[in-house]
Amino acid sequence: MSVDENAEPIIELEGVGKWFGDFQALRDINLKVQPGERMVVCGPSGSGKSTMIRCINRLEVHQQGMIRVDGIELTEDMKNVTAVRREVGIVFQNFNLFPHLTVLENLMLAPVRARGMAKKDANELAMRYLERVHIPEQAGKYPTQLSGGQQQRVAIARSLCMEPKIMLFDEPTSALDPEMIKEVLDVMVELAQSGMTMIVVTHEMGFAKTVADTMVFMDQAEIVEKATPDVFFSNPTNDRTKLFLSQILIH
């Protein structure tokens, strides 16, 4: 593992709690992510995985505990939230592309609007990241003209155009047809190999074994187990983890 364990964590969650009405979605979450670490979060549906990573860039607001990203604590101060969001890219299950804009226009939008980048420079940046996700030839098309796998690669490139320090992926392949999953995972593997700090919520255990430095298993709003992939897959300690793996590795 090329992660510096002695560095200051780039993401810290301490005693984080989150409720939706009476339902507790996160319970006493404690987690540290080092710069360059690749963490895969798995667990059954409804266990709090997506809620946790959405709290990391304040798409959801935690009601208890502390979240700090790159030294900035997430509070109600929008200045802090904006600063964190500049450093954190997020890719969702659904691609969230603007259908009325071309692929290139989708990628240029945030650098021009949020960073004040000149259109010429934003164009060059966008093309560079379309090359990186292996679809530069799709620049002039609209999202509806692309396959699901291509749209998700555009969504990844769009996040990269903000040149974030951290990438969050919320089940990025779960809305894709099986034959399109590999093309998206291949791009994510390349991204991981470049040293990007990543938290990936996914059921793709082959991907997890390939790229993860750390595995996190969540169930019923809690982090139940955290281990290296070797230990996690061969010798998990918690019965809930064992049951989950026995069910998911069959498929």
Side-chain angles (χ1 to χ4, degrees), residues 41-59:
V41 182
C42 60
S45 192
S47 57
K49 310 179 299 292
S50 295
T51 301
M52 182 178 77
I53 67 165
R54 288 171 70 88
C55 284
I56 291 170
N57 73 345
R58 213 166 169 84
L59 287 172

Side-chain angles (χ1 to χ4, degrees), residues 22-88:
D22 294 334
F23 174 73
Q24 188 163 6
L26 295 175
R27 184 180 289 109
D28 193 29
I29 299 293
N30 295 286
L31 194 66
K32 292 183 179 179
V33 183
Q34 298 302 120
E37 185 170 359
R38 297 161 310 205
M39 183 176 284
V40 169
V41 182
C42 60
S45 192
S47 57
K49 310 179 299 292
S50 295
T51 301
M52 182 178 77
I53 67 165
R54 288 171 70 88
C55 284
I56 291 170
N57 73 345
R58 213 166 169 84
L59 287 172
E60 299 288 355
V61 177
H62 62 290
Q63 291 111 338
Q64 192 176 64
M66 184 278 297
I67 299 177
R68 189 181 294 122
V69 180
D70 201 23
I72 301 167
E73 185 172 348
L74 281 170
T75 63
E76 290 179 12
D77 184 343
M78 277 310 294
K79 197 162 85 245
N80 284 9
V81 175
T82 301
V84 165
R85 285 182 180 164
R86 271 201 207 104
E87 306 295 351
V88 181

Side-chain angles (χ1 to χ4, degrees), residues 89-102:
I90 187 163
V91 175
F92 301 96
Q93 297 178 34
N94 300 315
F95 324 119
N96 293 4
L97 300 171
F98 292 110
H100 63 290
L101 300 178
T102 65

Side-chain angles (χ1 to χ4, degrees), residues 152-199:
Q152 191 61 292
R153 285 191 277 162
V154 171
I156 293 170
R158 180 182 57 180
S159 286
L160 292 174
C161 279
M162 290 299 281
E163 308 207 296
K165 291 183 180 178
I166 299 160
M167 284 287 285
L168 307 175
F169 293 88
D170 186 6
E171 301 200 29
T173 59
S174 65
L176 299 178
D177 293 333
E179 66 270 18
M180 294 174 189
I181 290 172
K182 185 179 182 299
E183 66 189 61
V184 174
L185 292 179
D186 285 348
V187 165
M188 291 169 64
V189 168
E190 286 178 29
L191 195 57
Q193 289 166 344
S194 76
M196 173 74 76
T197 304
M198 296 169 69
I199 303 180

